[in-house]
Amino acid sequence: MTDVVAGFDVGATKTRLRAETPAGEAVVDLTWPSGDWRRYSYPVRAKRLADLLEEALGAGSTLVALAVGAHGCDSAEQCARFQEVLAPLVDVPCTVVNDAELIVPASGRPTGIGLIAGTGSIAVGRTSDGETLYAGGWGWFLGDDGGGAGLVREAARAVLRARDRGQDDDPLIGHLLQALQLPDTAGISTRLTTGTPEWWAGCAPVVFAAHRDGSAAARHVIESAGRELAELVRTLADRGASANRVVAAGGVIVHQPPLLAAFTAALGDLVPGCRVEVLTEPPVNGAVRLARSLATA
């Protein structure tokens, strides 16, 4: 039997599990769809992760510690409740944090603010006395500005405003209608209200395509999104989080340079001296590092 530590990164779209030996050798590295994760109760979430873990590890490995970074655990209280339900199922030392809390440890940095701009958006940091602080993560209906779903929501608003003004020449209009498979703007609201946040986020590349085609509306949407992400960081800094650096992750900000540039520029204004890094390691590595610290505590 081989002792292993394991970490889950449960995002809005994908769930990734990685398990390693004490020497750092990967034993398991698997990915599944997250499905309707946020709609599950804590017992259902815990049972799902425990079942995935048991099936993945099989009979040849002995779990000694587990860390979970979970989308939808947006407060210390929510993390504690989920951990309380999960711990008896795995019967080893375990911890549950928001998935954005994996970003800084995954980068190998000791301190900083983790920022995710993927399907949604959230920032997480810690004060000098170890208190975890959260900003954003409200979901696509109320927030998630700078995430994929938020970008599409704001792009739709920009297009509908242009329609009301009789302005139909901005490239964003054609790009968004093509993505939504609509003949005109009249059906935008109905089409979006029947889609999931993940589907919305899948349409986000059209905003950047329109930007490349010279869309003033798309440029405004992207610049506004970058500033909203920077506001999340300033909120945490104002509350005492260590803000010497931000480590950014998530498919939108990592793969769309205009958004990263807009965020970096806005952050320079709002939190002078805060450095921006883009995570180059999988966030699940942060979960493994947290699990390893539990195993050696």
Side-chain angles (χ1 to χ4, degrees), residues 61-184:
S61 300
T62 300
L63 183 68
V64 296
L66 173 68
V68 177
H71 173 72
C73 285
D74 299 329
S75 70
E77 293 75 18
Q78 290 180 349
C79 291
R81 288 203 300 271
F82 186 19
Q83 181 176 318
E84 183 179 4
V85 175
L86 178 63
L89 298 183
V90 296
D91 198 26
V92 296
C94 72
T95 187
V96 174
V97 299
N98 181 271
D99 54 336
E101 285 194 74
L102 304 181
I103 304 306
V104 172
S107 74
R109 300 295 188 179
T111 60
I113 290 174
L115 172 76
I116 291 181
T119 299
S121 63
I122 190 171
V124 179
R126 287 183 180 270
T127 63
S128 58
D129 61 2
E131 180 186 2
T132 304
L133 302 177
Y134 303 81
W138 302 347
W140 65 274
F141 187 74
L142 296 175
D144 280 350
D145 302 284
L151 281 161
V152 172
R153 182 190 64 234
E154 296 309 309
R157 287 165 59 90
V159 165
L160 292 173
R161 286 194 188 101
R163 179 199 65 183
D164 289 351
R165 295 171 181 147
Q167 301 167 345
D168 58 2
D169 58 347
D170 190 286
L172 181 59
I173 299 172
H175 279 282
L176 185 62
L177 291 178
Q178 182 177 12
L180 302 182
Q181 298 181 328
L182 293 172
D184 55 54

Side-chain angles (χ1 to χ4, degrees), residues 157-253:
R157 287 165 59 90
V159 165
L160 292 173
R161 286 194 188 101
R163 179 199 65 183
D164 289 351
R165 295 171 181 147
Q167 301 167 345
D168 58 2
D169 58 347
D170 190 286
L172 181 59
I173 299 172
H175 279 282
L176 185 62
L177 291 178
Q178 182 177 12
L180 302 182
Q181 298 181 328
L182 293 172
D184 55 54
T185 58
I188 288 177
S189 179
T190 300
R191 179 61 57 87
L192 288 177
T193 54
T194 58
T196 65
E198 292 74 24
W199 178 80
W200 282 41
C203 298
V206 304
V207 180
F208 299 96
H211 179 263
R212 290 192 294 272
D213 285 348
S215 166
R219 182 179 68 251
H220 176 73
V221 168
I222 294 167
E223 289 176 352
S224 297
R227 189 168 187 86
E228 290 291 345
L229 293 173
E231 288 282 3
L232 297 180
V233 176
R234 180 168 72 170
T235 297
L236 297 183
D238 287 348
R239 294 176 62 196
S242 174
N244 57 323
R245 68 174 55 82
V246 174
V247 183
V252 181
I253 199 165

